[in-house]
Amino acid sequence: MEGHTPDHELVRQTLAGDTHAFEMIVERHQQAVYRILYRLLRNKQEAEDIAQEAFLRCYRHLEKYDQDRPFAPWLYRIATNLALSRLRHLVKHQSVSWDDYDNRFSETEETTTGWQVGLADREGPSRSLDPAAAWEKREVRSEIVQALRSLKPPDQLIIILRYFEELSYEEIAYVMQTRRNNIEVRLFRARQKLRNIPALQQEWGNARYHGQDGGVTVCTPARK
Amino acid sequence: MYTCKEVIQLLDLYTDGELDEQHRLLVGTHLQSCDLCSRLVRLREEEARMIRSHDPVPALSPGFTRQVMASLSPDMHPSTRGQWLSSLRKSLARPWLAPALAGLILLVAVSYAASLRLITTDQKQVAFQNSQSGLQAQTQLALPGNTTPETEHDQAFNENNSLNKQELAGSAASKPTVPKPPVDSIEADRAAGSRNIPAVSQTARPTTAINPKAVSAPDAQTPETGGTPEAKTPAVSTTDAKTPEVRMMSLAPRQNSLDALKQQGYTVLQPSFLPPGYIFEQYSLLSGGSDESQSTARFTGTEDILLSYRNAQSGALLTLEIQTPANPAPPSQTDANPNAQGSRQTGTNRITQSLQKLGRNFVLQITGTIPSADLQKVADSVQ
């Protein structure tokens, strides 16, 4: 029953003084907020702290929420603003470059071994791979994570919101307070960087030279 | 129909679901007939799945919701804040409020500015009273009965009076720290039994500058040697002059003020030459002309006249102190026998020169920030 209550209705009830409605909002969106923050910050404790602060700010400023818009992007905007500010603070006060911040602000590999993979359902049968396949999967994972970390945080955020939270360009633009065209361009560039990693390049290599004439650009549509 | 190249350029938008209906149909039509492009679409989807599946996130700590709810305090409730903000917005939305607030702010600003000017005037008056308490002279505002803030002219006049004293003290290079108000009480001076000083009417300063020639005595003429001041030999030199006691400083920046002084029997000597830009500003009556610290060409009278000229553009001051005889005599023409010598101080030049008229000796002391040669010209032109 609670799951069917729309966000804007819960917001209305919260504004009317019903804290239980806000508790439902937290329950509903905490995982997504936390996932976004963790992938930006790469630190569980930091992600949880900022997620909590994001919900508190959301509560304090709930009257500013435009109920004609989706609630989640508005909440993500609050959370990601806090996270990006935190990263800027780290870059500024720890003499870490914007590109290298992830090396000093990330958990070790050991701390990630006990992950309760939140995306287990998406991984599907891959969890039952044999040891060699598991090692290969871990290598690919490391490559992808490193490739994500190599992006600037705003570009990372675009990838995160697009691939992991599956937001539309318009929603991403709203979260990042920019225009849709800007998101489109930045997403294109970020994808180009990601596709340079070997794990994805291999797949692309197969595709690129799969055409009859050795390249996709000369691919011609099948005859009618 | 799209070519493969066109479709490949749109593949990301297609797989992201960001194409509009028309383009989506065109790409879809191409994909139905192109195996390679269809495979590219599948690879894009596989790419997305790989990215998603290879960046897992550790689970959120249990009790997160409880922590958030425990951090909420009653004063954070958005409804309370919202009501307050909405009431504020409503009150600010009144159409008459903005002009009213603007008017109020303007009124406060004007009042504040006016009070600052009044305070400044009061401070000057108090400072003058403090400095002149030994003279038992009551001070009053420059314009009797006028309680409005000083005009710009009055402020400049105050500064001028201070400058006069500074100049006489031989420290003209330094700015006066406490300007004196341009006031004096003639009645108080009369009651003290001092010299009968002519009451000078307080009128507004004329808008046109006073030409020294215009206010000079009718019988004033250019001295014969006035055109060649360099030919004169300075003979009298002075050390730093001690500041004469300012007995009365009369407001006299008026056209007929010197005439009124002459009517009282004073011999008023004025220069026929002034450096460009200098105009007559005021005169002051000084006592103690027989100060023993004066030079050998000391005047033995009781009243001196200090004429002030100011450059309207630069604000520079030129003072001409004329030590007059004790017993006023009708002005007449005599040959001037000037003996002058310039003494340079820091930024200020002074020339003391004796002058003989009507068988009496006058001492001219000219101080200004202009070159000594110009001072000499002014001194030579005094008649």
Side-chain angles (χ1 to χ4, degrees):
Chain A
M1 181 65 184
E2 290 181 352
H4 295 95
T5 308
D7 284 338
H8 62 82
E9 177 62 22
L10 292 177
V11 169
R12 191 190 61 78
Q13 293 175 8
T14 304
L15 289 173
D18 184 4
T19 54
H20 180 65
F22 185 72
E23 188 174 354
M24 292 171 62
I25 291 176
V26 175
E27 288 283 355
R28 182 176 297 178
H29 295 285
Q30 61 182 348
Q31 290 293 343
V33 170
Y34 168 72
R35 282 196 307 266
I36 295 170
L37 294 177
Y38 177 82
R39 287 190 168 107
L40 269 179
L41 301 170
R42 299 290 169 184
N43 183 284
K44 183 174 186 291
Q45 190 58 48
E46 285 276 353
E48 288 187 352
D49 290 345
I50 292 184
Q52 182 173 341
E53 175 62 21
F55 278 108
L56 293 181
R57 288 200 179 194
C58 166
Y59 184 76
R60 279 198 298 264
H61 302 288
L62 202 56
E63 77 277 358
K64 296 179 181 176
Y65 163 60
D66 182 2
Q67 298 192 21
D68 294 333
R69 286 179 171 272
F71 176 77
W74 183 73
L75 178 62
Y76 298 164
R77 177 193 281 191
I78 296 174
T80 55
N81 277 341
L82 288 171
L84 293 177
S85 297
R86 174 65 178 153
L87 290 175
R88 288 193 197 95
H89 176 81
L90 288 175
V91 170
K92 182 177 180 181
H93 294 280
Q94 296 186 5
S95 301
V96 182
S97 71
W98 195 237
D99 297 325
D100 298 335
Y101 81 96
D102 57 282
N103 295 326
R104 300 185 58 172
F105 194 61
S106 61
E107 294 181 328
T108 61
E109 189 69 17
E110 286 73 18
T111 59
T112 60
T113 53
W115 284 353
Q116 300 176 18
V117 180
L119 305 174
D121 53 341
R122 294 183 179 178
E123 292 186 2
S126 63
R127 300 190 70 180
S128 60
L129 291 174
D130 57 38
W135 182 86
E136 184 180 356
K137 178 179 174 62
R138 185 168 177 172
E139 286 296 310
V140 172
R141 171 187 297 174
S142 176
E143 280 186 12
I144 292 178
V145 171
Q146 282 301 119
L148 277 175
R149 289 179 181 179
S150 69
L151 302 175
K152 292 182 179 180
D155 293 336
Q156 285 188 51
L157 181 58
I158 293 175
I159 293 290
I160 291 167
L161 294 176
R162 174 62 221 146
Y163 280 103
F164 297 99
E165 304 307 322
E166 298 182 347
L167 264 59
S168 68
Y169 291 6
E170 201 67 44
E171 290 171 326
I172 297 173
Y174 177 76
V175 171
M176 301 188 67
Q177 302 174 73
T178 185
R179 294 178 301 173
R180 181 189 179 282
N181 288 344
N182 189 23
I183 295 298
E184 187 175 329
V185 171
R186 298 188 73 157
L187 182 59
F188 174 79
R189 292 175 180 169
R191 276 173 163 153
Q192 293 298 106
K193 291 182 180 177
L194 287 180
R195 286 166 185 163
N196 285 331
I197 64 175
L200 296 179
Q201 232 175 12
Q202 183 178 2
E203 298 293 330
W204 276 101
N206 294 338
R208 282 190 180 117
Y209 300 102
H210 189 74
Q212 295 174 352
D213 297 327
V216 292
T217 55
V218 296
C219 168
T220 55
R223 293 176 181 174
K224 295 179 182 177
Chain B
M1 178 178 287
Y2 280 151
T3 64
C4 289
K5 186 176 181 179
E6 292 168 335
V7 168
I8 289 171
Q9 290 175 346
L10 295 174
L11 269 189
D12 280 333
L13 292 174
Y14 179 79
T15 54
D16 288 338
E18 296 290 335
L19 281 181
D20 57 28
E21 185 66 18
Q22 178 187 0
H23 290 87
R24 193 179 61 81
L25 286 175
L26 289 172
V27 173
T29 303
H30 176 88
L31 292 177
Q32 287 176 358
S33 58
C34 180
D35 291 338
L36 182 57
C37 290
S38 298
R39 176 169 170 75
L40 283 177
V41 170
R42 288 194 297 274
L43 286 175
R44 294 287 169 97
E45 293 170 349
E46 177 67 20
E47 173 195 64
R49 193 172 67 251
M50 280 186 67
I51 293 174
R52 291 188 183 108
S53 62
H54 287 85
D55 189 12
V57 174
L60 183 63
S61 298
F64 177 81
T65 305
R66 190 174 60 254
Q67 290 179 2
V68 171
M69 299 308 294
S71 302
L72 300 181
S73 58
D75 61 329
M76 294 168 56
H77 195 275
S79 60
T80 306
R81 295 162 52 88
Q83 288 174 359
W84 183 82
L85 286 174
S86 62
S87 62
L88 181 63
R89 288 195 193 101
K90 286 179 181 177
S91 56
L92 289 177
R94 298 176 191 278
W96 52 266
L97 189 61
L101 280 178
L104 183 63
I105 292 172
L106 185 63
L107 183 63
V108 170
V110 170
S111 304
Y112 180 68
S115 65
L116 280 182
R117 291 174 67 86
L118 281 176
I119 289 172
T120 306
T121 304
D122 294 342
Q123 288 174 345
K124 290 178 180 177
Q125 184 173 356
V126 168
F128 180 73
Q129 286 175 343
N130 292 337
S131 62
Q132 300 297 321
S133 58
L135 302 177
Q136 299 179 353
Q138 292 182 347
T139 59
Q140 58 186 10
L141 286 176
L143 300 178
N146 185 4
T147 57
T148 57
E150 290 180 289
T151 62
E152 183 178 350
H153 155 253
D154 292 331
Q155 288 183 338
F157 188 59
N158 291 347
E159 296 172 0
N160 185 31
N161 275 343
S162 296
L163 281 174
N164 289 345
K165 194 167 184 178
Q166 293 280 342
E167 295 281 341
L168 291 170
S171 59
S174 61
K175 289 287 184 182
T177 55
V178 181
K180 297 189 292 294
V183 295
D184 196 0
S185 172
I186 299 173
E187 290 75 16
D189 201 81
R190 288 172 178 165
S194 62
R195 182 184 180 90
N196 186 15
I197 302 300
V200 180
S201 62
Q202 304 288 339
T203 58
R205 185 182 188 183
T207 53
T208 56
I210 301 172
N211 188 340
K213 291 183 177 179
V215 299
S216 61
D219 55 350
Q221 295 180 3
T222 304
E224 295 176 0
T225 59
T228 58
E230 292 79 4
K232 300 179 179 180
T233 304
V236 180
S237 64
T238 63
T239 58
D240 289 343
K242 187 175 180 179
T243 305
E245 182 183 8
V246 179
R247 181 178 171 187
M248 169 172 289
M249 302 180 73
S250 175
L251 275 179
R254 288 160 295 278
Q255 289 179 343
N256 298 324
S257 58
L258 286 177
D259 294 338
L261 198 60
K262 292 170 185 172
Q263 290 174 4
Q264 296 299 319
Y266 285 93
T267 301
V268 181
L269 303 178
Q270 290 183 268
S272 59
F273 167 80
L274 280 174
Y278 281 85
I279 59 172
F280 174 75
E281 188 171 59
Q282 64 165 341
Y283 75 86
S284 303
L285 294 177
L286 309 175
S287 66
S290 57
D291 194 329
E292 294 179 358
S293 66
Q294 294 288 335
S295 65
T296 54
R298 186 181 304 118
F299 170 64
T300 57
T302 58
E303 294 290 344
D304 300 341
I305 298 176
L306 181 67
L307 303 178
S308 301
Y309 302 88
R310 187 178 289 279
N311 190 319
Q313 292 183 349
S314 64
L317 187 67
L318 178 68
T319 60
L320 170 61
E321 181 183 355
I322 305 168
Q323 299 178 349
T324 60
N327 299 320
S332 62
Q333 286 256 229
T334 58
D335 293 334
N337 297 317
N339 297 316
Q341 179 175 346
S343 64
R344 174 174 291 274
Q345 294 182 353
T346 306
T348 304
N349 294 320
R350 176 178 294 124
I351 282 183
T352 304
Q353 180 169 305
S354 63
L355 181 68
Q356 192 173 34
K357 265 194 171 187
L358 292 174
R360 292 186 176 88
N361 288 327
F362 295 86
V363 175
L364 307 178
Q365 186 169 341
I366 306 176
T367 307
T369 55
I370 59 176
S372 299
D374 291 338
L375 283 181
Q376 189 63 54
K377 287 182 182 178
V378 175
D380 293 341
S381 66
V382 172
Q383 52 184 288

